[in-house]
Amino acid sequence: MEDNSTSRRKFLSAGLMATVATVAAGCSDKKNPFDKYAGDDVKASGETVKLLSVDGQIIEMDKAFLKPVPDLPHLSNSEERKGIEGKKFVMVIDLARCKNVGACKTSCNHAHQLNPGQNWIKVLEMQDADLTAPYWQPTTCMHCDEPPCVKVCPVDATFKRQDGIVLIDSDRCIGCRFCMAACPYSTRVFNWQEPVLTEEVALMDYSCETSMPQKLGTVSKCDFCPDMARKGELPHCVSACPNGVFFFGDQNEDSVTNGAETFRFSDLIKDKAGYRLMEDLGTKPRVYYLPPVNRNFPFESGLENENADDRMQHSK
Amino acid sequence: MNQLHKIAIGIIWLFCYLPTISVTAQDSVKQAPSVALRYFVHNNNIQYLLIQSRVKVGKKFQAVPGYPVQLYLDSNIAENLVAKSITNINGDAKVVIPAVLKDKWNASPRHTFIALSGAEEDLTSIEITKAKILLDTTTIDSIRTLNVKVMFLQNNDWIPAADVEMKVGVARAGGILPAGEEATYTTDSTGTVTVDFKRDNLPGDVKGNFVLVAKVEDNDLYGNLLIEKTVPWGIAVKPDLHFFDQRTLWSTRFKTPVWLLFMAYSIVMIVWGVIIYLVFLLIKIKKAGNEKAAPLKIVPGKVAVSD
Amino acid sequence: MKNTTTLTSQQITLDLLPQKFGRRGIIWTAALLLIAMVGAFAYYRQVRYGLVVTHMRDYVSWGIYISNFVFFVAISLVGSLITAILRLANVHWATPLTRIAEIIAVSAIVFASIIIVVDMGRPERFLNLMIHGRLQSPIMWDVIVIGTYFFISLLLLYFPLLPDLKILIGLKEKPGKWLNKLYRFQGSFWKGTADQFRLSDKAINILCIIIIPVAFCIHTVTSWLFATTYRPGWDSTNFGAYFISGAFLVGAGAVVVAMYIFRKAYKLEKYIYEKHFEKMGRVVVLLALLYLYFNINEYLVPAFKMKKPEEAHLTQLFAGEYAPLFWFAIMIGMIIPICILVFKKGRKPLPVFIAGIMVVIGAWFKRYLIVTPTLLHPFLPMNDVPESYHHYFPSWEEWAIAMGSLAGALLIITFFARIYPIIPIHETISENESTA
């Protein structure tokens, strides 16, 4: 028995060392071992903690990874202007599923602390022709590949990144609003007055990727939530929609997901005849729409959530 | 009469007071957050629990940040404390099992996690059976197949786990792209799932690799299980190194198109060249004025009027 | 009608000297100062509370500040028209008008720059245009051209002023200690030698030649602020020529108004006589007809097609909410002045003055009609925005600032006329002697 126990102990300790060694070696890179596809490298704190694996082994891991959402290293302005390497974000919006619930607007406005009256996502009542059916169309920024807004900005305050996202640097914007005039999708909003922020947000360091805190006299718009992408999460609108209307993904990986379902992007566009808004203007938007065929909800079911001001426009 | 009056008023007061009591009681009931416990195992190795605290406000569930939760293993005693945590701004906390509980953990294949928050009553608890998930791939006649097997621990044996629903596919940003036709697959009596890999010409990383994933989500017995395997079945995607080199109208100021640079600079140089020449002429006029002057003239240039 | 009595150079000098403000002058200046100060207070409010004090919102994101800017840039082209083109064409009757035209141009350009900074959401970041400026942006082109045009106009004001400065310095009755110091500082080196005249004439000639393409550039680039966007009403290839012809028209109208007022206020009937009004009347008619031609092109051609995004916009202009303003601007700005000025009787000073005022007012409203109605017809429906976003009427702060900028421009002209002779003394004397 003693021999057995010592040999077992030796084996276990050898196995333990091996496990610790391999896991430690695995942990030496800054990828989050809990979620390897999170995106960016996590800011390691240097402190380690010992935890148990499923089969009772002891693993040592940096404490930074234990946060539910690990802290990412602070990005410089030039890194924010470059974007996430290797990604080409794209969004697909399924108009057949939209019921004008408005959860996308609420979550986006809340997450970015927008002022009342500011909506980065506008759910529009569209009707292509007099005899065609009306439908609800959530409209975000298109993050065009040939963005007219970027072309006209005099100070490089709005810029196109390699991951496809068009961002705004509110520290540089001079508030000339030429980009707002140039955007054919009317997606940009302006901070006409001092933004109302919580104390926490007001004290934050400004980051182009979170677009917070918003600044008086500057332009803002949907930013495809690059801060969420770096953490491996989906943009707020995508997660919030109860009907799975928004699909977000990486064109380089050829896949888009709404959180619950994941599709191959090229198949989705092809099978469901995806299109882009105002294609003939040549802006090359990165948001595709799936036409409202075989709709989940009739158009009228969305009228109950209609903005009071829009309802007034109807009655005129 | 006086007495009756007093009683009547007393009753009326009670009537007014009771509803307010019930309303405040409602409020206090509403305020107690509910806590969800979820157990995760990655690659049969790393395990952790996610504590999510939410409170119902109106129709929606809102996160409760800063909520202290204590987690215990099997029983609510100090020695079995797994962790003391405080939920973050999203109402979540991530907890690992500390090394000190190693012997208690290895003692049994089934464990219960108990969460409570300072109060006497347990908030919630989940029971977990240790399980492992294996992912294997085979290629026959250029048809690729994924074989996933789920087994749970009973005494010291691994028993195949039947009727376990899972997602099988390729790990993509934000989700799992199903490998075959179905969104989810369920293990049969032998605890296996076999999926034909139908995604041809799928882009991979720079080297053409991508990661296959089998994921069991929120199973009642086993929690969340995840297994990953890197395979070289993808198309290599070359990184776009030249994005910032292109000179276009929507590039930064450092990459102005050459034709625009040429036009703008030549026009500006010509016009400002002329302006500088004019300033030079002005200086010349100044100098001409400082010389001992020739007689004054009134008529411009051509006719010389002698004094 | 030629001036029959020969004037001596002393007479001319005396008549054309800058005069002190009479009672009317003081009331005029005080009124302008008041308007300008109200405008300044309104701007203080805007800086303190943000652009929310205006009624511009996310859809109508450009309002009367921008239309005022276009108006100022348009007027500033008068310098190239009257001073440069007519001078190069050896049109001698225009000589008395050159300085009026030039000071209108300079003050208009100054206030164009000021009103643009007023419109910025972050005026303190103005230097970003220099440090981080992008050459691909039409705004950068506008900044460059406006700056260039300002310097050229300033030089074109300065060179012909030199001989007059000498006259002012050499006066027996000194106009005032500070004024005299100013004149000496600016022109004491001018002795009137043949050499100096030769150099000065050369400089003025070069300026007249170079200012014409720069003037064309300035208003074409300003029109491109609109034409480089996709919006209905702005997406037009016609815009460069359309704006330039409008600019020449409003510039000529402004000169006509100014010359009438100066003639009356400073009793310059011997220098600005009926012939000038007759000739300028013809110029205005010609330019109005030209502008009308471009307007027809600009509106009739899209109306023929009635493309979907433009349909709502054009209908609103011709027969809808903006119809009264649109037809007012067309009638007052072009049609009625043409009708007045086509007839010889209509080219007397007073009718020409009235036509000039109509042209300027019509032009201001025309610029407003170019900027705002288009913004109310975006491609996508206006949903999920507050009701106020569907309309635009300027707030009192916007009116105050716009009027304040106009008052400021008039103040510059007024103070200029107080300090310098508004009609070039030396050139008038030499023209007089060459005709005698």
Side-chain angles (χ1 to χ4, degrees), chain A residues 16 19 23 32-37 49-59 61 65-70 81-83 85-89 106 145-147 150-152 156 159-162 172 200 232-234 248-255 257 259-264 267, chain B residues 39-48 50 60 88-90 92-103 105-106 130-131 158 167 171-178 198-204 211-213 226 228-230 237-241 243-244 249-254:
Chain A
L16 177 64
T19 322
V23 175
N32 186 352
F34 294 111
D35 190 355
K36 289 212 199 104
Y37 310 102
V49 78
K50 287 199 173 75
L51 55 111
L52 267 188
S53 75
V54 156
D55 42 1
Q57 313 287 0
I58 299 183
I59 303 174
M61 186 182 294
F65 297 121
L66 292 184
K67 294 195 178 180
V69 181
R81 282 171 180 264
K82 284 218 191 97
E85 236 181 85
K87 299 252 182 227
K88 271 245 167 323
F89 293 114
T106 323
D145 280 340
E146 288 193 18
V150 175
K151 283 187 200 174
V152 298
D156 241 346
F159 45 90
K160 176 87 176 164
R161 309 186 337 163
Q162 62 185 346
R172 201 185 279 188
E200 200 177 23
E233 295 179 36
L234 292 169
F248 187 77
D250 182 358
Q251 195 179 347
N252 283 345
E253 284 185 348
D254 198 21
S255 106
T257 178
E261 304 158 277
T262 309
F263 295 102
R264 211 170 153 175
D267 287 345
Chain B
Y39 172 76
F40 292 83
V41 179
H42 284 285
N43 291 320
N44 304 319
N45 188 8
I46 297 175
Q47 59 175 352
Y48 65 94
L50 202 59
K60 299 196 182 144
N88 71 355
I89 192 170
N90 295 334
D92 298 335
K94 192 193 264 183
V95 166
V96 292
I97 304 176
V100 292
L101 290 175
K102 178 177 159 182
D103 295 323
W105 177 255
N106 288 339
K130 290 183 195 171
W158 289 102
K167 284 185 178 168
R172 303 270 86 167
I176 299 173
L177 182 66
K198 290 258 187 328
R199 303 288 184 181
D200 299 322
N201 297 325
L202 196 66
V211 179
L212 293 173
V213 166
L226 177 80
E228 298 153 336
K229 182 177 175 179
T230 308
V237 173
K238 279 199 217 123
D240 185 359
L241 296 168
F243 178 81
F244 291 110
L249 283 175
W250 61 91
S251 306
T252 64
R253 59 190 297 250
F254 304 107

Side-chain angles (χ1 to χ4, degrees), chain C residues 367-384:
Chain C
R367 300 298 178 285
Y368 172 76
L369 285 167
I370 288 175
V371 173
T372 300
T374 293
L375 289 167
L376 284 172
H377 293 284
F379 286 103
L380 295 173
M382 293 195 261
N383 290 127
D384 276 345

Side-chain angles (χ1 to χ4, degrees), chain C residues 34-237:
Chain C
L34 183 66
I35 298 175
M37 289 202 310
V38 172
F41 172 68
Y43 185 59
Y44 156 74
R45 275 182 55 86
Q46 183 179 296
V47 170
R48 178 138 175 243
Y49 297 112
L51 280 162
V52 68
V53 301
T54 70
H55 281 162
M56 293 187 278
R57 295 292 179 261
D58 287 347
Y59 280 96
V60 185
S61 49
W62 279 347
I64 64 172
Y65 292 159
I66 296 291
S67 60
N68 226 24
F69 166 71
V70 179
F71 177 75
F72 275 130
V73 173
I75 285 194
S76 74
L77 254 74
V78 69
S80 69
L81 171 67
I82 304 290
T83 314
I85 294 180
L86 294 184
R87 199 192 269 269
L88 282 177
N90 268 327
V91 174
H92 289 288
W93 61 260
T95 315
L97 307 174
T98 52
R99 196 161 293 157
I100 297 177
E102 219 32 65
I103 188 56
I104 293 177
V106 169
S107 75
I109 265 295
V110 165
F111 270 91
S113 322
I114 292 179
I115 200 80
I116 263 296
V117 174
V118 162
D119 181 66
M120 280 166 66
R122 284 285 203 171
E124 77 275 13
R125 292 184 187 170
F126 185 79
L127 284 177
N128 277 357
L129 282 166
M130 314 298 162
I131 309 169
H132 300 292
R134 266 179 90 244
L135 205 53
Q136 293 100 318
S137 167
I139 284 186
M140 270 318 284
W141 309 340
D142 219 3
V143 169
I144 295 174
V145 189
I146 287 184
T148 311
Y149 190 72
F150 174 67
F151 275 107
I152 293 183
S153 295
L154 217 54
L155 287 172
L156 196 51
L157 194 59
Y158 186 48
F159 275 104
L161 191 61
L162 287 170
D164 286 357
L165 283 173
K166 176 165 170 288
I167 295 175
L168 287 167
I169 295 171
L171 286 175
K172 291 216 183 77
E173 273 183 47
K174 301 293 173 195
K177 196 176 86 167
W178 293 106
L179 281 179
N180 213 31
K181 273 196 176 169
L182 180 66
Y183 299 148
R184 283 195 177 278
F185 172 69
Q186 288 187 316
S188 59
F189 56 87
W190 179 265
K191 301 287 188 288
T193 60
D195 234 11
Q196 285 184 321
F197 268 116
R198 182 182 52 84
L199 291 165
S200 168
D201 284 347
K202 188 172 170 189
I204 294 175
N205 240 10
I206 294 175
L207 275 167
C208 288
I209 297 174
I210 196 91
I211 202 177
I212 296 172
V214 177
F216 270 72
C217 277
I218 198 181
H219 217 41
T220 308
V221 168
T222 304
S223 77
W224 286 350
L225 291 178
F226 307 99
T228 49
T229 67
Y230 296 106
R231 296 182 180 258
W234 288 357
D235 186 13
S236 162
T237 55

